[in-house]
Amino acid sequence: MSGIVTRREMLQELLAAGVVLSAGWPVLAQGEEVIPFTDLPAPQPGARVPPSLTNFMTANDTFFAVQHYPVPPQIDPASYKLRITGLVEHPMELTLADLKKRPRVDHIVGFECSGNNNPRGNPLVGNATWAGTSVARLLKEAGPRPGAREVVFFGADTGTEEITHGGAPEKVEQHFGRALSIDDAMLPDIMLADEMNGQPMPHPHGAPVRLVVPGWYGVANVKWLNHIHVQDTRFMGRFMARDYVTLRGQQVGDATVWNETSVGRTRLKSAIGRVTRTGTALKATGFALTDGTALKSVDISVDGGAWKPAVLDKRNSRYSWQLFTYDWSGAQPGEHTIVSRATDVKGEVQPTEDDLKGKKTRWENNGQFVRKFKI
Ligand SMILES: Nc1nc2c(c(=O)[nH]1)N[C@H]1C(S)=C(S)[C@@H](COP(=O)(O)O)O[C@H]1N2
Ligand SMILES: [Mo]
């Protein structure tokens, strides 16, 4: 099942996860009321629109869940095994206890599904503390052999894919798999996490162990991880090479070059999650995401006016989501628009929706989304 195809499917998924409206709406101050966005459907029971932005950490039971194959049965932590195979000097089989006795690392990491999108108010995003052990350290122990090029991470979940290869289509049962280049896999902050916000990893989020790749889109964070395979060729599995592929047309001279890339590092993004009112004072709250590059600013334009800087939340850290607020007053009754724009310290500026016209697939929707509301 794809959790991100239709709104109905998403709602069903969230309902199945027991998410209730009250859990999705942010806490309000005395006298503060949420102004609904007029360009979004009215929130329905079970919908998490907008994401709960006033809680800097997203609680485990309200964190969105996306999976493409049926959720695998619960894995007994006592019998859990992680295999490391392929081009390594020391193939390994590790228990959860083996993983837990290695040095612990933790990071606050926020991520979104790269299918997160504006017409739904960007609900597929969350921010949590993940703890576990370093992937680079484990790979060094296993000892990649010369020629090692890709590290493939497989989940316990499987689905049947129809494969065409010249003859009649064939059905093949496959595990969910995603790969990192050996260089990326050796970056220091990537971890095998067995804890989420100080709790044992919840089942919907990949218990007992998932991969967490800070600064990447959600799809990189393989859940129910039980196998790491090192190989000398590129891994072209469904979620690397057929799905989660972004197609962009680029003008090169008088020709259009079509570039298809696998969804990977997070593209600079910001979005307004809600607008509230306290008397005549208005406040917009939103989130930004980066690939780990520090933010320089998030700027806000109301009703198409001049860009004004938002206030960045002091709790923001390198890989967390980057919350921001913008306060203003003097708005007249009627329809209004608001939009945010993120800029990072390398000078990268979040694209406009117009800049993204050459992008033909729905992944990596990081455009400057305009929200509408009425006061
Ligand atoms: N094993 C496995 N891992 C997976 C997936 C999956 O289908 N199977 N979905 C990926 C996608 S597309 C996303 S967006 C994230 C979502 O993580 P979450 O469910 O903890 O929010 O998990 C990723 N890891
Ligand atoms: Mo995703």
Side-chain angles (χ1 to χ4, degrees):
M1 178 193 78
S2 171
I4 49 180
V5 175
T6 66
R7 180 178 171 80
R8 207 173 123 253
E9 269 180 15
M10 185 190 76
L11 292 177
Q12 281 170 346
E13 203 171 278
L14 293 166
L15 283 169
V19 174
V20 292
L21 191 63
S22 60
W25 285 98
V27 181
L28 296 169
Q30 185 84 42
E32 188 180 17
E33 55 170 330
V34 172
I35 301 174
F37 293 119
T38 51
D39 62 331
L40 288 181
Q44 295 169 28
R48 269 185 358 101
V49 180
S52 183
L53 298 175
T54 50
N55 301 322
F56 185 68
M57 305 308 301
T58 310
N60 291 1
D61 59 354
T62 61
F63 204 101
F64 78 98
V66 168
Q67 46 282 318
H68 296 274
Y69 294 151
V71 173
Q74 300 240 5
I75 302 167
D76 175 9
S79 56
Y80 170 79
K81 294 252 165 48
L82 169 68
R83 287 188 301 141
I84 305 181
T85 61
L87 278 181
V88 289
E89 298 296 343
H90 313 288
M92 297 168 126
E93 195 168 90
L94 298 156
T95 64
L96 188 58
D98 293 333
L99 289 175
K100 278 186 170 290
K101 67 180 180 238
R102 287 173 162 73
R104 302 289 289 172
V105 289
D106 63 79
H107 290 291
I108 298 175
V109 178
F111 61 81
E112 69 168 0
C113 177
S114 51
N116 205 11
N117 63 16
N118 188 49
R120 286 181 193 156
N122 294 292
L124 303 178
V125 60
N127 188 55
T129 301
W130 311 89
T133 195
S134 154
V135 167
R137 195 179 177 282
L138 210 58
L139 284 173
K140 276 183 207 140
E141 267 184 58
R145 296 226 305 259
R149 181 172 174 193
E150 290 229 334
V151 183
V152 194
F153 298 86
F154 290 105
D157 49 333
T158 62
T160 305
E161 299 292 344
E162 202 170 86
I163 310 292
T164 43
H165 46 90
E170 220 178 295
K171 293 208 157 116
V172 177
E173 170 121 336
Q174 302 187 336
H175 284 265
F176 180 90
R178 278 279 306 189
L180 293 172
S181 71
I182 188 87
D183 290 349
D184 283 341
M186 287 297 187
L187 293 174
D189 296 332
I190 300 173
M191 65 182 136
L192 302 185
D194 54 64
E195 282 182 26
M196 179 180 186
N197 290 327
Q199 302 292 315
M201 185 65 66
H203 186 57
H205 300 290
V209 175
R210 83 178 300 172
L211 183 67
V212 174
V213 189
W216 287 54
Y217 279 107
V219 70
N221 303 312
V222 177
K223 305 196 277 190
W224 311 293
L225 179 78
N226 64 8
H227 186 189
I228 299 176
H229 187 75
V230 181
Q231 60 187 44
D232 61 0
T233 50
R234 284 191 59 200
F235 175 71
M236 305 285 281
R238 170 175 158 194
F239 299 99
M240 291 301 290
R242 300 199 295 286
D243 214 343
Y244 285 87
V245 167
T246 301
L247 170 65
R248 281 173 206 266
Q250 290 165 320
Q251 215 45 41
V252 178
D254 52 10
T256 303
V257 173
W258 291 100
N259 197 11
E260 286 177 83
T261 55
S262 190
V263 168
R265 289 186 165 79
T266 304
R267 290 179 188 264
L268 183 63
K269 168 169 180 173
S270 70
I272 304 284
R274 66 167 190 165
V275 172
T276 58
R277 168 168 54 189
T278 309
T280 55
L282 293 166
K283 182 192 284 290
T285 308
F287 71 90
L289 291 167
T290 77
D291 63 1
T293 306
L295 266 187
K296 180 165 168 275
S297 64
V298 174
D299 299 289
I300 307 293
S301 168
V302 175
D303 298 329
W307 293 102
K308 306 258 182 67
V311 176
L312 301 181
D313 195 301
K314 288 199 171 56
R315 296 166 294 183
N316 296 343
S317 55
R318 180 165 185 201
Y319 296 118
S320 74
W321 62 9
Q322 314 286 306
L323 295 190
F324 61 86
T325 53
Y326 178 74
D327 292 283
W328 79 108
S329 59
Q332 299 301 309
E335 291 271 359
H336 296 278
T337 65
I338 186 164
V339 63
S340 63
R341 180 188 70 184
T343 305
D344 73 18
V345 293
K346 290 183 186 159
E348 183 83 16
V349 179
Q350 183 184 354
T352 61
E353 289 204 86
D354 212 46
D355 293 336
L356 293 179
K357 282 227 171 88
K359 183 173 80 66
K360 299 300 178 194
T361 47
R362 67 201 167 92
W363 312 110
E364 306 183 88
N365 260 314
N366 67 325
Q368 294 171 25
F369 300 129
V370 177
R371 282 269 90 97
K372 294 183 178 158
F373 62 94
K374 193 171 174 218
I375 53 171

